[in-house]
Amino acid sequence: GLTRTPLSLTPGFCAEDSAKKTVELLRGQKNPYRDLVLLNAAAALYLCEKAVSIESGIEIAKESLDSGAALNVLNNVVEFSNACKS
C-alpha cells in the first residue's frame, strides 16, 4: 500500500528540513515522507519482533501516526527536555 517515490521528491537530509517534515507527518500530513517513515518503522518493528511481518509493521506504524500516539510521544519528549533545561 505504499507509493514508490523518486528519491528526488523526498525531503533533503538537513536537520531543519527533516524536523519540519517530521512534525508535519506527526500532525497527519500524507506525503512521500510518510511512506518512507512507515517502511522504516515497519522494518524496525519486524526486526525487534514487535510485528510478525513488514506488512503488519506498516499497519502498526500507521495506527501510531493516525491515532496521534506518535505526536504525543514527541510532545512528551519536548516537555521533558524543556523541564530538564529549567
Side-chain angles (χ1 to χ4, degrees), residues 20-82:
K20 179 182 173 189
K21 291 294 181 189
T22 299
V23 171
E24 290 171 356
L25 169 74
L26 293 174
R27 290 187 175 150
Q29 185 174 21
K30 308 261 193 307
N31 55 38
Y33 186 64
R34 175 184 165 93
D35 287 347
L36 180 64
V37 168
L38 289 174
L39 184 56
N40 280 294
L45 289 164
Y46 175 70
L47 289 172
C48 71
E49 299 179 350
K50 298 294 182 184
V52 296
S53 66
I54 298 293
E55 292 81 6
S56 67
I58 289 170
E59 293 306 313
I60 294 168
K62 280 182 182 179
E63 175 62 26
S64 179
L65 289 176
D66 295 342
S67 70
L71 180 59
N72 286 337
V73 170
L74 175 63
N75 289 336
N76 289 338
V77 169
V78 169
E79 185 178 314
F80 179 77
S81 176
N82 289 337

